[in-house]
Amino acid sequence: MAEQLSRKKIISPEKIFMGMTGLFSLSVLLISVVVVYELFSASEPAFHKFGLKFLITKEWDPVQKVYGALPFIWGTFYTSLLALLIALPVSLGIAIFLSELAPAWLRSSAGFLIELLAAIPSLIFGLWGLFVLSPILQQYIEPPLSNLSWLPFFTGYPLGLGFLNAGLLLAVMIIPTISSISRDVMYTVPANQREGGLALGMTRWEVVSKVVIPNSRSGILGAVVLGLGRALGETMAVTMVIGNTPQFSLSLLDPGYTISSVIANQFTEAFDKLQISALVELGLILFVISVIINAFAKLLMLRMNRFSGGARI
Amino acid sequence: MKTDFRYIRRKVFGTVMLGLSLLAALAAVSMLFWILGYTFIKGISAVNLDFFTKLPTPVGVPGGGLANSIAGSIIVVGMAGLMAIPVGIATAIYLSEYGRGVFASTVRFVSDVLAGVPAIVAGIVAYALVVTRMHRFSAFSGSVSLALLMLPIIIRSSEEIFRTVPDTLREASFALGVPKWKTILSIVLKTASGGLVTGTILAVARVGGEAAPLLFTSFSNSFWNFNPGQPMATLPVDLFNYSISPYQDWQQKAWAAALVLVGMVLLLNISARLYLARKGFKR
Amino acid sequence: MADKIAVEGLNAWFGKTQALHDIDMAVPENSITAIIGPSGCGKSTFIRCINRMHEEIRGAYSNGRVILDGEDVYGSGVDPVLIRRRLGMVFQKPNPFPTMSIKENVVAGIILNRRLGRHEIEETAEKYLRRAALWDEVKDQLNRPGVSLSGGQQQRLCIARALAVEPEVLLADEPASALDPISTAKIEDLFTDLKERYTIVVVTHNMQQAARISDRTAFFLSGHLIEYGTTDKIFTNPSDKRTEDYITGRFG
């Protein structure tokens, strides 16, 4: 009783502890406010000078002090979409293999190896792309492709560096992300759904394609969105293989430039204040895209949890 | 039993598709071994004692090492950890032990979104926040950028670990009259400690390989430097600079740096994951 | 009545645990056979062995013979995928495919082998929804997702889906155990109607249900078939002491 009374008078250690951890949580919100503030304030000069035209201007010329984001935005999305196009079927294949085919002993070890791929630093992929993939592309893959130059995708010369190399490299880098999330989602498809398919006389593949994948579609979409997010922001590997040429081209053989690689290449060398500000504005664009994408992925995952929870009787 | 043509087609198609999925898994695993194996073969010839003990030499001068950037990486990542780990774990405690309402779910959402922010953007923020104010590149600003990357990873993994602590343990402690905060500090933290350490190691391994945010924050340095207010060499940044240089001996050093970096990152990763798997935590 | 299914010397395992011991049992055509017994007695495993679903569980296998119209379901060269089309199955928990509408659910099995026009889909859906006594309740919402229905309706949707591939036998694994009493009654009535066309084997933990709907009843205990006979005989005058104990509620 006495203890209870005294507790009312002084601030209890309970409240102090909760308040302190709460303050740390608050600091996370403050940090994100600071992040947003710094990005906006440092890109203000460029925004002031170019306005929204920044987004659609093709030139990037530090000598003339004209800066436009279009080639970089294009390069970022083009390489990322290319990567998704390659990575999605492969990742789904991996997820199907791990969740539906692999025996138990192989399941965990193969899954482990594929997740290790995600742990390799981006620089190492870049090194491999630069010294291994690039010569292979230049000598064996791109020359036959350039024979198809009547298609806009295959004009230009086989350089080994450019959209194709970056797209392939990004694909390898996002495959672990997409495949491991898809596998986790496929695991959660209830056994009675699979059995329902089998009992109707479905083959194993039909159970996968007509039951498991449709049941997992919002989770797979979430995985794809997260993979896209990783590809869009990826810096070092792309910087090493993209060819660093700001141009607006459809051709896979052409060199290009992405938002993150122009920041990586020019930030330290930029002594013109306006150029730095333009680079920060590019960073802000990347930030906004990644926030939208991650928020979307998170909502998808929440929806999926509710959906699978609701499907239970 | 009649087997019609249509069924045979279904069966063959299914077998082909499942075969392709096996092929996809094989392809991914062989990519892993290709990349790691190539790095090992190219790097091993350049890794020697000098690599770990000597300063870099100018182009054309044989020998030398990257001792300063190995030390620099440890310092920059270490300082980032000092900033991010306490904040991250304290936040995770709040979220898992007290967090119910709108505030907690906002924090959770924001930290999940922060986790997806590209590394290079973290570099820009640290640049704007620290470098422009100090008017020079510094190891400290590099640490700030890495801390920004680490924080959401630590929050997420720690919260998951705290949630694996069974409620019965907490209740047993409450039943003995131990107040909640003491229960958290003594029972919950202690039970979760193994998981927290491995989660932290994974976060360190994740940011330790990053070069993008360090390019224009901690920058680089050809000499020994232990002052966090000055530019400091790090292994990833040196790796990048050497790899895009036209000089054979520098490229050679890049491969050696790659091998050391990959070795450290994978060692941390594998040991953390094996430990987690042994403890039966998911992920 | 001729025997539709004859089970001979059936054993089943989960890994090292044997779940069924040397089962011999014949199921007559156009009848309802109930399988009763306490949980874990192997009754579900038994019907899952009939349409070769048991082997789909990791580490599960079986031996022995299950003869369907004179042909061994486990014979060499018999494809389980094809055999399952002759032996439809309904599960304990209703499992309509959540991404498909009601009518898509009904035809899900048919369209594996045959392309259906839009009109044909509607016709087929109506035919089997009527047969599953669900048509009147859902005829205005055929395009809504199957999971939007109530539990009992979902289960009848699953029955329609199973019937649509025109099986000869319907295997039901505790089809009403997750349902309320009214839905249960509807399923029971439905089964009684369906036995004119199909041979039905139903697993149930509910002895009253077995007594109400089945012609023959089999009592399983710890993986053994203890007693099998007409439902009348099992419930009024069982020959085995253990059967008597069970039906009088002394255990299980």
Side-chain angles (χ1 to χ4, degrees):
Chain A
M1 210 45 179
E3 200 187 309
Q4 261 181 1
L5 281 178
S6 68
R7 244 187 219 173
K8 273 188 185 162
K9 278 182 207 145
I10 57 159
I11 307 165
S12 69
E14 187 64 58
K15 281 202 176 128
I16 295 176
F17 185 75
M18 182 177 157
M20 272 171 56
T21 55
L23 274 180
F24 278 112
S25 307
L26 186 65
S27 76
V28 174
L29 298 186
L30 292 179
I31 288 167
S32 54
V33 170
V34 168
V35 166
V36 173
Y37 170 78
E38 290 292 342
L39 287 175
F40 270 99
S41 73
S43 59
E44 206 278 332
F47 188 78
H48 188 76
K49 176 102 191 270
F50 305 112
L52 286 176
K53 248 176 48 199
F54 184 68
L55 296 175
I56 50 164
T57 303
K58 275 190 187 174
E59 286 81 43
W60 181 273
D61 188 348
V63 182
Q64 302 294 323
K65 299 197 173 179
V66 177
Y67 301 105
L70 190 61
F72 309 107
I73 296 176
W74 167 250
T76 300
F77 276 97
Y78 196 42
T79 50
S80 301
L81 290 178
L82 204 60
L84 263 192
L85 223 58
I86 302 164
L88 180 60
V90 178
S91 307
L92 280 183
I94 294 169
I96 290 166
F97 173 76
L98 291 177
S99 81
E100 311 294 322
L101 285 183
W105 60 271
L106 192 62
R107 228 176 218 204
S108 50
S109 46
F112 177 70
L113 287 178
I114 288 163
E115 274 170 43
L116 262 197
L117 200 55
I120 295 179
S122 141
L123 281 166
I124 311 298
F125 283 99
L127 215 50
W128 182 83
L130 187 61
F131 290 106
V132 181
L133 188 57
S134 157
I136 293 176
L137 289 178
Q138 190 179 13
Q139 283 169 33
Y140 304 107
I141 313 285
E142 292 182 345
L145 286 180
S146 65
N147 291 335
L148 302 169
S149 60
W150 46 275
L151 278 170
F153 302 108
F154 303 113
T155 57
Y157 302 99
L159 297 170
L161 297 175
F163 290 121
L164 183 61
N165 194 328
L168 283 169
L169 215 49
L170 284 175
V172 180
M173 297 176 74
I174 63 175
I175 280 172
T177 311
I178 302 181
S179 61
S180 66
I181 299 174
S182 304
R183 173 203 57 187
D184 290 349
V185 175
M186 289 183 190
Y187 271 154
T188 63
V189 173
N192 77 355
Q193 283 287 321
R194 291 189 174 84
E195 292 181 340
L198 286 171
L200 283 181
M202 287 185 184
T203 62
R204 223 154 164 190
W205 167 252
E206 285 163 345
V207 171
V208 170
S209 64
K210 294 184 193 316
V211 179
V212 176
I213 290 180
N215 264 303
S216 324
R217 60 188 177 184
S218 46
I220 292 173
L221 184 60
V224 166
V225 171
L226 281 178
L228 180 67
R230 184 166 180 205
L232 290 170
E234 186 44 59
T235 306
M236 301 318 292
V238 176
T239 306
M240 288 157 89
V241 300
I242 186 80
N244 299 332
T245 312
Q247 61 176 337
F248 190 89
S249 163
L250 261 183
S251 174
L252 298 177
L253 309 188
D254 274 346
Y257 227 146
T258 67
I259 293 177
S260 54
S261 52
V262 71
I263 298 172
N265 273 325
Q266 298 196 353
F267 213 98
T268 43
E269 284 141 29
F271 287 103
D272 169 16
K273 284 251 166 19
L274 191 61
Q275 188 180 358
I276 289 201
S277 178
L279 287 167
V280 175
E281 193 174 350
L282 282 175
L284 177 63
I285 293 171
L286 199 57
F287 174 78
V288 170
I289 295 170
S290 75
V291 166
I292 292 172
I293 280 186
N294 281 286
F296 181 56
K298 172 116 196 192
L299 290 176
L300 272 176
M301 295 292 179
L302 285 177
R303 205 185 81 116
M304 191 197 71
N305 287 342
R306 211 170 9 173
F307 179 68
S308 64
R312 238 161 259 147
I313 311 296
Chain B
M1 178 163 286
K2 277 190 310 210
T3 42
D4 58 322
F5 170 69
R6 187 138 195 155
Y7 176 63
I8 294 170
R9 212 175 68 182
R10 278 169 60 201
K11 216 167 142 175
V12 170
F13 180 71
T15 312
V16 168
M17 292 308 281
L18 291 178
L20 285 177
S21 85
L22 168 68
L23 222 62
L26 279 178
V29 172
S30 21
M31 281 305 294
L32 175 76
F33 286 117
W34 190 0
I35 292 172
L36 289 185
Y38 197 85
T39 307
F40 184 80
I41 290 166
K42 292 288 272 189
I44 194 72
S45 58
V47 173
N48 49 29
L49 191 63
D50 280 0
F51 185 84
F52 296 98
T53 55
K54 296 249 167 75
L55 282 176
T57 51
V59 180
V61 181
L66 292 175
N68 60 334
S69 58
I70 295 174
S73 263
I74 294 171
I75 294 169
V76 171
V77 176
M79 289 195 301
L82 284 181
M83 289 182 255
I85 295 168
V87 181
I89 292 184
T91 303
I93 288 178
Y94 181 82
L95 291 179
S96 81
E97 306 299 317
Y98 299 104
R100 297 281 176 274
V102 183
F103 173 65
S105 44
T106 312
V107 171
R108 220 172 267 131
F109 189 81
V110 165
S111 79
D112 275 1
V113 170
L114 274 185
V117 167
I120 190 105
V121 174
I124 294 179
V125 172
Y127 178 90
L129 199 63
V130 184
V131 177
T132 52
R133 288 184 172 80
M134 285 172 62
H135 300 291
R136 63 164 174 265
F137 299 120
S138 66
F140 174 69
S141 62
S143 300
V144 168
S145 71
L146 293 188
L148 216 50
L149 290 176
M150 254 172 118
L151 181 61
I153 308 177
I154 290 185
I155 293 175
R156 195 190 285 187
S157 74
S158 307
E159 196 194 346
E160 251 175 57
I161 298 287
F162 284 133
R163 285 183 187 279
T164 63
V165 176
D167 272 341
T168 48
L169 273 182
R170 295 186 180 88
E171 281 155 14
S173 171
F174 296 157
L176 290 175
V178 182
K180 189 169 182 178
W181 66 278
K182 266 193 181 159
T183 303
I184 294 169
L185 283 180
S186 56
I187 310 285
V188 178
L189 265 181
K190 203 175 155 201
T191 316
S193 59
L196 290 180
V197 171
T198 48
T200 307
I201 290 175
L202 282 178
V204 166
R206 161 84 175 66
V207 303
E210 285 290 354
L214 299 181
L215 290 172
F216 38 84
T217 49
S218 60
F219 201 60
S220 64
N221 196 327
S222 312
F223 304 100
W224 284 108
N225 166 38
F226 294 104
N227 178 356
Q230 295 288 338
M232 195 181 278
T234 54
L235 204 50
V237 172
D238 276 1
L239 196 176
F240 176 64
N241 288 333
Y242 285 158
S243 71
I244 57 170
S245 79
Y247 313 113
Q248 197 81 46
D249 58 334
W250 276 19
Q251 289 179 4
Q252 188 62 32
K253 273 223 174 59
W255 281 108
L259 179 59
V260 171
L261 191 66
V262 133
M264 294 201 306
V265 166
L266 288 192
L267 194 72
L268 290 175
N269 237 283
I270 293 173
S271 50
R273 275 164 202 269
L274 285 182
Y275 179 80
L276 276 188
R278 206 159 46 92
K279 284 282 209 152
F281 286 115
K282 203 178 170 243
R283 216 174 309 206
Chain C
M1 275 189 287
D3 285 343
K4 183 73 185 173
I5 304 167
V7 176
E8 295 172 2
L10 181 69
N11 292 287
W13 287 265
F14 291 100
K16 289 196 173 101
T17 323
Q18 188 163 6
L20 288 177
H21 300 265
D22 201 25
I23 309 290
D24 290 303
M25 190 174 147
V27 177
E29 197 162 7
N30 293 89
S31 69
I32 299 181
T33 303
I35 316 280
I36 61 168
S39 33
C41 68
K43 53 189 194 293
S44 288
T45 308
F46 174 72
I47 67 160
R48 294 170 60 94
C49 282
I50 297 178
N51 68 341
R52 296 188 63 172
M53 288 293 289
H54 177 65
E55 67 204 59
E56 294 294 339
I57 298 170
R58 257 168 222 275
Y61 58 99
S62 61
N63 65 30
R65 305 208 294 165
V66 174
I67 292 162
L68 174 69
D69 282 339
E71 184 192 13
D72 186 2
V73 164
Y74 286 91
S76 64
V78 173
D79 189 332
V81 173
L82 291 174
I83 213 75
R84 287 184 198 125
R85 293 181 80 84
R86 299 174 59 194
L87 297 152
M89 190 169 223
V90 180
F91 297 84
Q92 183 170 1
K93 254 167 61 179
N95 57 353
F97 300 130
T99 53
M100 296 183 192
S101 68
I102 290 174
K103 68 179 183 202
E104 286 167 345
N105 262 289
V106 178
V107 299
I110 304 180
I111 56 171
L112 297 174
N113 259 352
R114 200 150 55 84
R115 201 157 295 171
L116 295 183
R118 194 200 294 199
H119 192 64
E120 244 179 320
I121 290 180
E122 306 263 331
E123 267 177 3
T124 316
E126 176 172 350
K127 177 176 169 193
Y128 292 102
L129 285 169
R130 277 189 193 283
R131 197 172 285 180
L134 187 60
W135 173 252
D136 291 332
E137 293 161 58
V138 302
K139 61 183 174 200
D140 301 321
Q141 38 179 324
L142 294 178
N143 290 317
R144 296 192 54 202
V147 281
S148 65
L149 300 173
S150 76
Q153 291 173 324
Q154 287 189 20
Q155 192 62 295
R156 277 177 285 149
L157 177 60
C158 293
I159 293 172
R161 184 178 71 185
L163 297 180
V165 291
E166 288 290 350
E168 301 147 40
V169 176
L170 190 62
L171 305 167
D173 187 359
E174 306 205 25
S177 70
L179 306 180
D180 61 277
I182 295 170
S183 305
T184 302
K186 282 190 178 158
I187 302 265
E188 288 179 8
D189 291 347
L190 174 61
F191 277 14
T192 315
D193 293 342
L194 288 174
K195 80 172 177 184
E196 281 176 31
R197 288 169 182 271
Y198 307 93
T199 305
I200 299 175
V201 183
V202 54
V203 166
T204 177
H205 63 265
N206 178 338
M207 279 176 286
Q208 286 74 31
Q209 185 171 65
R212 278 195 300 268
I213 63 172
S214 69
D215 304 299
R216 296 173 72 83
T217 297
F219 173 59
F220 277 65
L221 187 63
S222 342
H224 294 273
L225 174 59
I226 304 299
E227 190 169 354
Y228 178 46
T230 63
T231 300
D232 263 2
K233 166 92 168 41
I234 296 283
F235 281 94
T236 54
N237 184 24
S239 9
D240 196 292
K241 176 78 168 59
R242 291 166 292 182
T243 314
E244 190 181 338
D245 286 350
Y246 182 70
I247 59 167
T248 53
R250 239 164 276 167
F251 69 88

